[in-house]
Amino acid sequence: MTNRRTGRGAAGRRAYLGAAAAFAVCMAGTTLPTPLYGLYQEEIGFSELMVTVVFAVYAFGVIGVLLLVGNVSDSVGRRPVLLCGLALAAGSAVAFLAEQGLPLLCLGRLLSGLSAGLFTGTATAYVLELAPPGRRARAGFVATAANMGGLGCGPLLSGFLAEYAPRPLVLPFVVHLVLLAASFAVTWSLPETVPGARPLRTARPQRLRLPPEVRGVFVPAGVAAFTGFALLGVFTSVSPAFLAEDLGIHNLAAVGLIVFTAFFASTLGQLLVPRLGTARAVPLGCLVLIAGLALLAVSLAWTTLPPLVLSALVGGAGQGMGLRGAVGEIAAAAPAEHRGGALSALFVVAYFGISIPVIGVGLLSEPLGLADAGLVFTACMAVLAAASGAYLLHRTRTAEAAAPSR
C-alpha cells in the first residue's frame, strides 16, 4: 500500500509539474519577439508607436479570449483548452517565420495573445488541481512562477539566439516550435481534472461571471494585478528601444537579459508570499512596486543603466508578491466549479494593465519623446499603486483588529 501511495504521489507531482512546464513554454512564446522588435523596425520600417500597437494586439487577443471563453474550461475540461492554446501558439510561431511585413507580424501577435488567453486562467487552475493535496500551497507558487518565468525566458532565449546564432528572426521561433511539440505531447498525456467534462465541440462563448464568494476580494486583487502588469508591459515593449536609442546598448542578449531580470525577480517575490500571507502580500507588493517605479523614473530622467536594472529587480519583486497574493486570494475564495472563470477574470484586469498604459506611452512618445513619455507613465502608475496599497493595508489591519472580537 505504501508503494501505491508513493507511486500515486510521484505521478501527481509529475502531472502538475508537467502542466506547469507546458504553461511556461506557451508564455515564453508571447515575449519571444521582445528583443527582436528593433530588427523588425529595420526590416519593415515602422515607428515606436507601431511597436506598442503590435504589442497591444497581443494583449487585446488575451483579453478577448478571457472575456469570451475564459471560463469554458470549467465545463469542457482543462486539457482540451490547453491543447488548443498550444496549437494557437504554434500558429503564432509559423506566422513569425513567414513574416513579410506588418500584417503577419500583427497576426503572429494576435495568435500569441489568443493562446495566452486560453492558458492563463485555465493552466493556473489545472496546476492547482493536479497537485497532490499536500502540495497545493506549493502548486500556487509553481503556477505563477511558470507564468512569470515563462514570460521571462522568452526574451532571454531569443536575445541570445539573435545575438550569437545565425538567422536571428528564424531560429528563435524554430526552437519554440520544438518546445511546443514536446509540451503538446506532455499535455496530451495528463489526466482531466473537471468531473463530467463535456466534449470540446459543445463549448460556446459565455460572459465571465464572478461568483459572490469572490467579489469581496476581487477589486483589490485586480488593482494590484493591473499595476504590476503595467510595469512589466513597459519593460517588454518599450525598454528595448530605450536601451538602444537612449543608452546605446544594441546587444540583443543584454536586452533580453534585462527584460528577463524583471520576470525572474517576480518569481523571487512570489517566494515571500507564504511568509507574509496572501492578504498582506498584495498591499506590500504594491508598496514595493512603487519603489520599482521610482527607480524606473530615475533611469529615464538621467538616462542611466543601473537604476533600470534595479527597477527590474525591485519592481518585478513587487509585481510577483502582488500577483501570487492575488491568485491565492481568488483561488481560495472561488468554488471549484468557478475557479477557472474567476482566475480568468483576474487576468483580464491584469492584461488591461499590460496594454492600455503601453499604448499610452507609445502615443506620448511621438510628441514628448520616449523617456518623458515613460516618466508620465511611472507617475500615473505610482499614484495608482500608492492608493491601492494604502487601501489594502488599511483593510488588512482592520480585519486583523476585528478578528479577536469574533
Side-chain angles (χ1 to χ4, degrees):
M1 184 176 287
T2 302
N3 289 339
R4 286 180 191 166
R5 283 181 185 149
T6 303
R8 282 197 297 268
R13 285 193 293 274
R14 285 195 299 269
Y16 89 89
L17 292 176
F23 193 4
V25 168
C26 181
M27 300 312 291
T30 67
T31 52
L32 204 64
T34 297
L36 310 178
Y37 284 133
L39 299 179
Y40 284 121
Q41 281 182 287
E42 293 174 10
E43 182 180 278
I44 302 172
F46 51 84
S47 67
E48 189 59 39
L49 174 60
M50 281 309 303
V51 173
T52 59
V53 170
V54 168
F55 183 84
V57 166
Y58 154 78
F60 285 125
V62 178
I63 292 167
V65 169
L66 290 173
L67 286 174
L68 290 175
V69 292
N71 55 358
V72 73
S73 73
D74 291 329
S75 57
V76 303
R78 315 293 186 207
R79 197 167 64 102
V81 172
L82 296 186
L83 292 172
C84 289
L86 290 169
L88 287 168
S92 170
V94 170
F96 275 101
L97 288 172
E99 177 269 316
Q100 297 293 326
L102 204 53
L104 275 177
L105 204 63
C106 288
L107 176 62
R109 292 302 287 157
L110 177 62
L111 291 173
S112 183
L114 297 178
S115 72
L118 289 178
F119 250 83
T120 304
T122 300
T124 301
Y126 198 34
V127 171
L128 291 170
E129 291 162 357
L130 283 171
R135 292 179 177 262
R136 292 285 160 81
R138 183 177 298 180
F141 166 71
V142 169
T144 49
N147 192 344
M148 292 297 108
L151 289 168
C153 286
L156 187 67
L157 173 65
S158 62
F160 273 84
L161 289 176
E163 187 66 33
Y164 301 116
R167 311 283 306 272
L169 297 180
V170 173
L171 189 59
F173 300 102
V174 171
V175 172
H176 191 233
L177 278 172
V178 173
L179 294 173
L180 286 170
S183 299
F184 194 94
V186 169
T187 305
W188 185 273
S189 69
L190 294 176
E192 182 53 66
T193 57
V194 175
R198 301 199 305 267
L200 183 61
R201 65 177 179 274
T202 65
R204 297 290 183 274
Q206 46 190 307
R207 186 167 56 91
L208 282 178
R209 291 194 183 114
L210 283 178
E213 298 91 337
V214 174
R215 292 169 190 167
V217 300
F218 186 82
V219 172
V223 169
F226 179 95
T227 310
F229 268 66
L231 177 64
L232 293 182
V234 168
F235 262 97
T236 52
S237 66
V238 175
S239 64
F242 176 68
L243 288 165
E245 297 170 12
D246 294 77
L247 297 179
I249 297 174
H250 299 280
N251 185 294
L252 297 179
V255 173
L257 184 60
I258 290 171
V259 175
F260 167 79
T261 300
F263 292 102
F264 178 71
S266 171
T267 305
L268 294 180
Q270 294 170 35
L271 290 172
L272 300 174
V273 173
R275 295 184 180 183
L276 297 170
T278 55
R280 190 171 288 273
V282 180
L284 289 180
C286 286
L287 298 181
V288 174
L289 194 61
I290 293 171
L293 288 164
L295 288 165
L296 178 59
V298 169
S299 177
L300 293 169
W302 277 273
T303 317
T304 181
L305 179 62
L308 183 68
V309 177
L310 287 174
S311 171
L313 287 168
V314 176
Q319 189 273 344
M321 292 166 62
L323 178 64
R324 187 178 177 190
V327 167
E329 291 280 280
I330 297 295
E337 64 272 18
H338 296 295
R339 188 174 292 126
L343 289 169
S344 292
L346 174 68
F347 284 107
V348 166
V349 177
Y351 276 94
F352 270 116
I354 214 172
S355 55
I356 294 174
V358 166
I359 295 174
V361 170
L363 289 170
L364 290 175
S365 66
E366 296 290 329
L368 299 181
L370 189 60
D372 287 342
L375 286 171
V376 173
F377 156 79
T378 56
C380 294
M381 291 301 102
V383 169
L384 181 60
S388 61
Y391 167 76
L392 290 164
L393 276 177
H394 173 73
R395 185 172 176 268
T396 301
R397 287 172 179 168
T398 301
E400 289 174 350
S405 62
R406 288 192 189 120

